Amino acid sequence: MSGIPSLSAPLASGRSDGPSAHHRRHSRGQTTHINITAATASATHHLSEADLSLPTDSPTSANSNSNLVNDRVYFPYQPKSLAGIATRSFCLGIAVTIGVGATGATLLYTSSPLWRLPFFLAALATFHFLEFWTTAAYNTRAADVKSFLLTANWPGYAIAHGFATLECLLTNTFWPNRAWAPFGSGALLCLLGLALTVIGQVVRSVAMVQAGPSFNHLVQHQRSSAHVLVTSGIYSRFRHPSYFGFFWWALGTQMAMGNVVSFVAYAAVLWKFFSSRIKHEEEFLVKFFGQEYVDYRRRVGTKIPFVP
């Protein structure tokens, strides 16, 4: 086995300073027989105590219990479950594939407006995958199963997307040729919605990448050693680019889907949520960074309507 000294090597090497396998000749010409069994047992005894000691990461080593405790967080149903992360990533990948494929097929081979449903599926799956991926890649220690945000703000989040899906399905099934936008601007607003969806996703993901360890999905009440005030790059244009990104991503999806009711509901709920969250979060940011953040807040806006 690799890493274990061979017991036969010294005996077969023919070295003049070691005993032969059966006897050693003394200067007087006499031959003294050696007890092979006893010699082998003695050598094995020494090897088992010194050279054959188990590595520290062996399941039976002295440190195995502490390693097991440290690794438990990666076990199934735990916060950083590798099985849970793999399962979610696999399912989201399938959802993106189905969404993109069904959207393209519907647009190419039919005139049905129901391409909006698989589009929404693909947009949602992409968003949730990138939430985890950017966290895992640029804020690795904070990455866990919850980083996918699949159950964030549950059940309101699921209800909102469920209602949007139902509105799109019903309106485009029973009134496919309805004029949902004023002055015949439906096609233009749909394209604008697609653009906002892409722009919002890109801005949010870039913000998470640039902030790195300073980004967190939860409002931090205490400043960590890795928490720094990022004011360059995309943060020089948007004070809260991740909030800006999600706000316009969500509204863009509803514009692309032609969901009038959901668009109004999304706008109202998200504006209330982010205006309140920004106010709450910035109370702590002022405590963390003092006048530096006050000056930054005065200089850079959020680009979210009516949220200075």
Side-chain angles (χ1 to χ4, degrees):
M1 293 178 62
S2 176
I4 300 179
S6 173
L7 294 176
S8 63
L11 300 178
S13 64
R15 288 176 55 187
S16 60
D17 57 346
S20 107
H22 301 289
H23 65 274
R24 181 174 63 184
R25 189 175 303 278
H26 291 272
S27 58
R28 294 181 180 182
Q30 298 178 342
T31 300
T32 303
H33 292 280
I34 298 175
N35 189 327
I36 300 300
T37 302
T40 304
S42 176
T44 304
H45 173 72
H46 287 90
L47 284 170
S48 64
E49 290 187 347
D51 299 317
L52 300 181
S53 59
L54 290 171
T56 57
D57 59 350
S58 168
T60 57
S61 69
N63 294 330
S64 62
N65 290 335
S66 61
N67 290 336
L68 185 63
V69 172
N70 294 335
D71 292 344
R72 190 175 298 278
V73 70
Y74 301 105
F75 289 3
Y77 310 110
Q78 298 303 311
K80 294 180 180 288
S81 168
L82 297 181
I85 290 169
T87 301
R88 287 163 176 79
S89 297
F90 178 74
C91 291
L92 290 172
I94 292 177
V96 170
T97 302
I98 292 174
V100 172
T103 301
T106 305
L107 289 172
L108 286 174
Y109 301 111
T110 74
S111 58
S112 172
L114 289 176
W115 62 267
R116 293 173 168 88
L117 289 177
F119 154 75
F120 191 40
L121 174 64
L124 276 173
T126 300
F127 168 79
H128 287 291
F129 173 75
L130 288 176
E131 286 298 294
F132 176 82
W133 186 86
T134 50
T135 303
Y138 296 94
N139 191 9
T140 307
R141 292 182 181 275
D144 59 20
V145 172
K146 292 183 179 180
S147 298
F148 286 99
L149 296 188
L150 288 169
T151 57
N153 299 305
W154 190 268
Y157 183 77
I159 292 173
H161 292 330
F163 181 84
T165 301
L166 184 61
E167 180 184 357
C168 182
L169 176 63
L170 293 177
T171 55
N172 287 286
T173 298
F174 295 104
W175 302 281
N177 298 316
R178 82 194 195 285
W180 61 273
F183 310 112
S185 59
L188 180 61
L189 290 179
C190 181
L191 291 174
L192 178 60
L194 292 173
L196 286 175
T197 302
V198 174
I199 292 171
Q201 181 65 72
V202 170
V203 170
R204 182 174 175 87
S205 296
V206 170
M208 294 175 66
V209 168
Q210 188 172 354
S214 294
F215 183 89
N216 201 294
H217 284 122
L218 301 175
V219 175
Q220 301 298 290
H221 294 176
Q222 292 182 340
R223 180 181 178 182
S224 67
S225 58
H227 196 176
V228 298
L229 180 60
V230 182
T231 60
S232 60
I234 200 166
Y235 285 85
S236 66
R237 299 297 183 92
F238 308 97
R239 193 164 79 246
H240 293 280
S242 64
Y243 298 161
F244 168 92
F246 185 82
F247 182 84
W248 290 110
W249 173 89
L251 295 188
T253 61
Q254 300 313 297
M255 291 177 65
M257 295 170 75
N259 285 348
V260 177
V261 177
S262 293
F263 178 86
V264 174
Y266 273 45
V269 172
L270 289 174
W271 182 88
K272 182 178 180 181
F273 174 79
F274 283 127
S275 61
S276 175
R277 184 181 176 101
I278 288 173
K279 181 179 179 181
H280 175 64
E281 182 175 349
E282 289 190 337
E283 292 177 358
F284 293 98
L285 290 173
V286 170
K287 291 180 181 179
F288 296 163
F289 303 106
Q291 189 61 38
E292 183 182 6
Y293 189 82
V294 173
D295 294 338
Y296 172 67
R297 180 173 59 184
R298 186 184 302 114
R299 186 172 67 252
V300 181
T302 64
K303 307 300 189 297
I304 297 175
F306 309 110
V307 180

